[in-house]
Amino acid sequence: QKEVEQDPGPLSVPEGAIVSLNCTYSNSAFQYFMWYRQYSRKGPELLMYTYSSGNKEDGRFTAQVDKSSKYISLFIRDSQPSDSATYLCAMSSNDYKLSFGAGTTVTVRA
Amino acid sequence: NAGVTQTPKFQVLKTGQSMTLQCAQDMNHNSMYWYRQDPGMGLRLIYYSASEGTTDKGEVPNGYNVSRLNKREFSLRLESAAPSQTSVYFCASRGGGNTIYFGEGSWLTVV
């Protein structure tokens, strides 16, 4: 079993819809949770960062962490075609290494 | 504001050839990383350097060597390339809160 599980999709939604992405994990020591966005043939870029449990909102993006369930989510409101990308979850404990999900490919249809 | 810069962007190698991927960051970060990304496998850590002068193996270090030249630069060397090393390679550095910033990637094909 992988340390971080993420449904690879693909996920296709119409413009304006809410995109819901999630990851589950098995390591209870994880405290730092991140979401990265990766456009085709580009490097991953940090989208959202959350420490420990709770919600964080940044514009159209909301990240949620539920440590009791070992479950994290990313919501994209009012999705745009420019949101079409692969979204990677990542998490770490207090050491130097991140564990990544395999990524979910999202397409927002105009 | 360059961030993490890696070269070359594209490279084709023959089996058995050697090459070095170069990486530099201008964010004054202590920790740097090399990942490879393969379809369905996600990002896998090859080597990392927690600070200048130290390097450690990640999940998939076989066939690779690294050098942390100074605080800014972290290179990845393939001594004898194999087709299984065909991949996209990403260099990264670590900022506050364990956030990692990636370069644009190096596409390597070994034939």
Side-chain angles (χ1 to χ4, degrees):
Chain A
Q1 183 186 3
K2 292 181 182 178
E3 201 168 39
V4 180
E5 297 280 358
Q6 182 177 7
D7 187 339
L11 190 61
S12 180
V13 300
E15 185 174 357
I18 295 175
V19 176
S20 175
L21 304 167
N22 57 75
C23 291
T24 59
Y25 62 94
S26 57
N27 188 344
S28 58
F30 287 150
Q31 298 187 68
Y32 303 91
F33 303 91
M34 285 139 278
W35 285 95
Y36 285 83
R37 178 175 62 195
Q38 186 175 22
Y39 291 116
S40 180
R41 304 190 77 78
K42 295 288 187 181
E45 58 176 321
L46 182 64
L47 195 59
M48 297 286 284
Y49 162 74
T50 308
Y51 172 69
S52 194
S53 283
N55 295 357
K56 185 172 184 179
E57 188 171 321
D58 183 1
R60 297 184 295 110
F61 299 90
T62 300
Q64 293 183 348
V65 175
D66 182 348
K67 289 186 70 178
S68 62
S69 301
K70 296 189 180 68
Y71 187 89
I72 70 170
S73 302
L74 177 71
F75 299 96
I76 308 173
R77 291 183 301 280
D78 188 24
S79 58
Q80 304 295 311
S82 59
D83 295 325
S84 298
T86 297
Y87 291 82
L88 301 149
C89 63
M91 47 201 79
S92 73
S93 57
N94 285 322
D95 63 14
Y96 294 97
K97 295 173 283 187
L98 261 64
S99 293
F100 285 87
T104 301
T105 299
V106 174
T107 300
V108 180
R109 309 186 305 272
Chain B
N1 187 11
V4 179
T5 304
Q6 54 181 111
T7 57
K9 192 166 180 70
F10 300 100
Q11 183 73 49
V12 178
L13 283 178
K14 293 182 179 179
T15 299
Q17 285 185 320
S18 62
M19 76 159 298
T20 299
L21 299 176
Q22 307 286 354
C23 176
Q25 52 93 8
D26 62 2
M27 297 175 281
N28 201 35
H29 291 162
N30 287 318
S31 301
M32 296 185 71
Y33 305 79
W34 276 104
Y35 287 87
R36 60 178 289 173
Q37 188 176 38
D38 303 287
M41 304 291 286
L43 285 156
R44 292 182 292 169
L45 183 64
I46 304 171
Y47 270 93
Y48 69 101
S49 171
S51 61
E52 185 178 353
T54 69
T55 60
D56 283 287
K57 295 178 181 179
E59 299 173 66
V60 288
N62 291 343
Y64 305 96
N65 285 302
V66 290
S67 295
R68 183 73 183 268
L69 304 171
N70 49 55
K71 190 172 186 178
R72 290 187 64 248
E73 298 173 287
F74 188 38
S75 63
L76 178 72
R77 183 162 178 82
L78 287 69
E79 292 290 351
S80 179
S84 62
Q85 293 178 304
T86 293
S87 187
V88 184
Y89 292 86
F90 290 100
C91 178
S93 66
R94 184 172 76 110
N98 280 11
T99 55
I100 288 188
Y101 300 89
F102 288 86
E104 289 287 278
S106 296
W107 274 255
L108 176 65
T109 302
V110 182
V111 297

